[in-house]
Amino acid sequence: MLLAGASLGLSALGLPARAAGYPDKPIRLVVPFPAGGATDLMARTMGQKLAERLGQAVIIDNRAGAGGGIGAEAVATSAPDGYTLLFATMGSLTINPSLYKSLRYDPVKSFDPITLTHNTSNLLVVNPDVPAKSVAELIEFARKRPGELSFASAGNGTTSHLSGELFKSLAKVELTHVPYKGSAPAMTDFLGGRTSMMFDTASNFVDYVKTGKVRPLGVTGRKRLPSMPNVPSISETPGMGDYEMSLWLGVLAPAGTPGAIVTKLHDEIGAVMSSPGMVRQMADAGIEVRLGTPKEFAALIRTDMAKWSEVVKRSGVRLD
């Protein structure tokens, strides 16, 4: 995958660089989660800058529900004219197919990928009463006390849940999963000492790490976070080299969108996201700008669908 600062113009590959007359009206960017959350804020920041480049408004349309599935379905059934786009998360495209018994969209066939945009990670944190000072010590402690340690999550099938399931599988430990209806109640009980550990967005824990209320042990992505350079990636722990839960986001259009429009959007979004100001703003929030071609994005979706299918299967979770 190519990162911020790389030259991503598809016109350099001999593809059509412009779509004549596009856009000549506002573009609707569907965010499949509620307003005010991290995904929504990323979309609004990007959408504002994209509107300035395109000369047309980019309207954020929040369609929350079903782990991002409601918003994804709305875009999948929209006209493929470039005026309705999806700001998708990894979960809505690669976890939902295995988690839900039936979906009204196909992550591969229903969309034309445009570009990846963002990448972030969860943080593994433990309560101070858990004696482990590293991931290796946590694994050793958990093996001696099967099922004694519990981890809170934002709900069955969420990335905070599956981060824990992947950890259990690779570390060969037994942990008790305690699902909640969202990150907020999960954090409340975790901070109150009612659960032992938690995997969730790093930005949620920054203040608590500073005050010593929680102890960070590892980052779920491959790279350390610039905001927490002393916290290693979980994959740095011996025996955990295959661990990775990178939370990527990207923009897609309904299948059948003209190639010239996909190319134009790819180039314009890439220019917005790779600007130095945007890269700095995202880095300050613990988010990495991540870009790539539509072909690379499509390949990532297929790869991650296979990976998370196995994790979901092992977890035993299925939703209606």
Side-chain angles (χ1 to χ4, degrees), residues 3 47 52 87 111 200 206 215-216 226 239 252 270 282 296 317 319:
L3 302 180
E52 293 172 3
F87 186 50
F111 305 102
D200 210 294
V206 171
R215 183 185 307 124
L252 303 94
M282 292 298 102
E296 289 172 327
V317 175
L319 301 178

Side-chain angles (χ1 to χ4, degrees), residues 249-289:
L249 301 95
V251 180
L252 303 94
T257 299
I261 290 178
V262 170
T263 298
K264 181 176 180 66
L265 287 168
H266 172 277
D267 290 351
E268 296 293 350
I269 293 172
V272 165
M273 294 304 301
S274 61
S275 67
M278 181 68 80
V279 172
R280 284 195 303 272
Q281 185 176 355
M282 292 298 102
D284 289 344
I287 301 166
E288 177 188 21
V289 170

Side-chain angles (χ1 to χ4, degrees), residues 150-155 176-180 186 194-195:
S150 60
F151 73 98
S153 83
T176 300
H177 174 224
V178 185
Y180 292 81
R194 287 178 282 278
T195 56

Side-chain angles (χ1 to χ4, degrees), residues 31-34 36-44 87-89 249:
V31 176
F33 294 96
T39 303
D40 177 69
L41 293 175
M42 283 186 273
R44 291 179 188 276
F87 186 50
T89 63
L249 301 95

Side-chain angles (χ1 to χ4, degrees), residues 143-285:
R143 285 176 178 170
K144 292 178 179 177
R145 298 164 177 80
E148 183 176 317
L149 293 178
S150 60
F151 73 98
S153 83
N156 286 318
T158 60
T159 58
S160 59
H161 172 208
L162 295 183
S163 292
E165 293 295 339
L166 184 61
F167 185 89
K168 286 168 54 179
S169 175
L170 293 177
K172 297 179 174 57
V173 295
E174 293 182 28
L175 303 172
T176 300
H177 174 224
V178 185
Y180 292 81
K181 294 182 178 180
S183 289
M187 284 190 63
T188 297
D189 271 11
F190 169 66
L191 294 170
R194 287 178 282 278
T195 56
S196 311
M197 51 192 283
M198 190 172 177
F199 299 81
D200 210 294
T201 308
S203 58
N204 288 341
F205 295 112
V206 171
D207 292 339
Y208 301 110
V209 169
K210 290 179 180 178
T211 59
K213 288 188 175 181
V214 303
R215 183 185 307 124
L217 297 187
V219 176
T220 64
R222 288 288 184 185
K223 297 180 180 180
R224 298 189 181 199
L225 298 174
S227 57
M228 296 184 185
N230 294 326
V231 181
S233 165
I234 292 173
S235 63
E236 295 178 41
T237 302
M240 297 294 285
D242 290 335
Y243 189 95
E244 181 181 12
M245 168 61 92
S246 293
L247 314 177
W248 51 256
L249 301 95
V251 180
L252 303 94
T257 299
I261 290 178
V262 170
T263 298
K264 181 176 180 66
L265 287 168
H266 172 277
D267 290 351
E268 296 293 350
I269 293 172
V272 165
M273 294 304 301
S274 61
S275 67
M278 181 68 80
V279 172
R280 284 195 303 272
Q281 185 176 355
M282 292 298 102
D284 289 344

Side-chain angles (χ1 to χ4, degrees), residues 14-89:
L15 297 175
R18 298 186 62 82
Y22 174 86
D24 60 6
K25 62 181 182 180
I27 294 171
R28 183 168 61 112
L29 181 60
V30 175
V31 176
F33 294 96
T39 303
D40 177 69
L41 293 175
M42 283 186 273
R44 291 179 188 276
T45 302
M46 177 180 68
Q48 179 182 355
K49 297 298 183 182
L50 182 61
E52 293 172 3
R53 288 190 63 89
L54 295 177
Q56 291 289 342
V58 175
I59 301 169
I60 304 301
D61 183 0
N62 296 94
R63 298 286 189 94
I70 290 176
E73 180 185 342
V75 175
T77 55
S78 295
D81 55 9
Y83 290 99
T84 301
L85 307 175
L86 175 66
F87 186 50
T89 63

